[in-house]
Amino acid sequence: MKIDLSKAVCIIQSGHVVGIPTETVYGLAADAFNLDAVEKTFRLKGRPSDNPLIVHICSTDQLKMLAIDIPESAYQIAEQFWPGPLTLVLNKNHRVPDVVTGGLKTVAVRMPDHPLTLELIRQTGPLTAPSGNRSGQPSPTKASHLHEDYKGELPVLDGGISTIGLESTVLDLTLSPPAILRPGAIDPAEIFRKTGIQVTQISSGSSASLKSPGTRYTHYKPNAIVEWIDTIPATFLPDIYYIYHTMNPGIKKRNVISYQGNFEKLAQNLYDHFRTADHLSYRKVQIECLPPSEKSHLIGALSDRISKAIG
Ligand code: TXA
Ligand code: MG
């Protein structure tokens, strides 16, 4: 059900969960310092208890409530990228309940770039928020996705479409050198360009990727089979949903989508396409193979999410 900001504040303060908009994807928000409320989030989402949550803040002053031994690099990066689609992993302050971090000694923190959610956090304090989807499924990028997923029973603050559409970059600053555990809209090149800080990218099958518990679980999967495709077929089958990024197949059909090189728009709509494919009972989603990641900073993140949906 749709609620306004003051209602969202009341619900959070009374220990319940609210769907919130962010620029990446919608989240399931709860008071980060309320153990029962955080546990409710895990139950609602069907999330394994060893997969930790990101804590959302509205000012860098709140970092000290959540983390200790905060390196200078965290402030340099925050200055350039917050509010924005970047999560920092830091050493955890003992005040943060262990359930938030799945028992880890580190905590993930980000400042989302959405005016409604920033105002909510100003009034409630830091909020845990995993992506709002049920575990394993595509993340929600619209309030209506959360209404579908929770059969209209979840109170949701509607902040429009998530402009980025893919989850935040997760950067672990407790590793040396700092490492990206999950690719997102902000990539190592941009971090280096804006801060001079060199970060590495952990590839998802490596043993170091065990640092990011989320990478152990299946993700972003619609019910339809997802596949890469490298050529335009001679005929388009009615039970396949086709997503192209470069070519204009010169055909107007509801199941043939073409992005003409606009990777931002493709990222914004990817999960919505997965959901539409399921609503309309398509058997498969075929996505044109992506070009090398130098072409756009989003390609690494898109390729990560699509590969996980392929499974
Ligand atoms: O864009 C986003 O980050 C969205 C919005 C709502 O902010 N949230 C999101 O949360 O994607 P979630 O829970 O779906 O993904 C969080 C990821 C998981 O892969 C989790 O394992 C990782 O962050 N994570 C959380 N805490 C961590 C920690 N202390 N160390 C390493 N990875 C951590
Ligand atoms: Mg998620």
Side-chain angles (χ1 to χ4, degrees), residues 58-295:
C58 64
S59 95
T60 30
D61 294 342
Q62 291 176 326
L63 268 181
K64 290 201 177 73
M65 300 166 74
L66 304 163
I68 55 167
D69 313 325
I70 303 169
E72 190 45 40
S73 57
Y75 291 104
Q76 276 173 271
I77 291 171
E79 166 91 26
Q80 292 298 324
F81 294 103
W82 281 357
L86 179 66
T87 295
L88 297 179
V89 174
L90 298 162
N91 286 314
K92 169 182 170 306
N93 185 319
H94 69 90
R95 290 180 57 198
V96 178
D98 285 335
V99 62
V100 170
T101 62
L104 294 178
K105 292 199 159 38
T106 54
V107 62
V109 187
R110 98 172 179 102
M111 192 190 297
D113 191 10
H114 196 291
L116 265 181
T117 291
L118 286 172
E119 184 51 39
L120 176 67
I121 301 169
R122 247 170 242 130
Q123 297 189 40
T124 59
L127 298 175
T128 49
S131 54
N133 53 292
R134 291 197 190 265
S135 231
Q137 288 173 359
S139 295
T141 51
K142 296 173 178 171
S144 62
H145 293 162
L146 283 175
H147 295 314
E148 285 155 23
D149 288 1
Y150 298 91
K151 316 264 180 283
E153 281 171 18
L154 180 77
V156 180
L157 197 53
D158 187 345
I161 295 180
S162 296
T163 51
I164 293 177
L166 300 177
E167 304 78 357
S168 61
T169 304
V170 177
L171 173 62
D172 192 336
L173 289 181
T174 70
L175 299 175
S176 185
I180 289 184
L181 306 181
R182 178 176 71 181
I186 292 170
D187 67 357
E190 193 182 357
I191 295 172
F192 184 70
R193 202 167 55 245
K194 293 205 172 140
T195 64
I197 297 167
Q198 205 115 37
V199 308
T200 59
Q201 176 96 53
I202 287 188
S203 65
S204 49
S206 74
S207 59
S209 73
L210 293 177
K211 279 269 166 202
S212 179
T215 59
R216 288 202 290 269
Y217 300 101
T218 56
H219 270 304
Y220 322 117
K221 260 190 183 309
N223 296 323
I225 295 165
V226 181
E227 291 176 346
W228 294 115
I229 183 172
D230 49 20
T231 48
I232 297 188
T235 46
F236 293 99
L237 301 177
D239 59 348
I240 298 183
Y241 197 75
Y242 300 89
I243 303 176
Y244 294 102
H245 55 79
T246 53
M247 310 171 244
N248 183 352
I251 178 167
K252 283 217 175 329
K253 276 181 178 278
R254 167 165 100 150
N255 61 328
V256 183
I257 317 287
S258 172
Y259 280 95
Q260 308 292 323
N262 189 342
F263 295 102
E264 277 76 17
K265 205 76 198 152
L266 170 57
Q268 190 183 53
N269 291 339
L270 181 72
Y271 294 141
D272 193 54
H273 287 318
F274 284 173
R275 287 168 177 263
T276 304
D278 283 349
H279 283 314
L280 301 178
S281 302
Y282 285 103
R283 192 169 56 82
K284 283 185 181 174
V285 179
Q286 291 191 335
I287 305 176
E288 184 185 357
C289 293
L290 296 172
S293 56
E294 302 82 62
K295 279 227 161 188

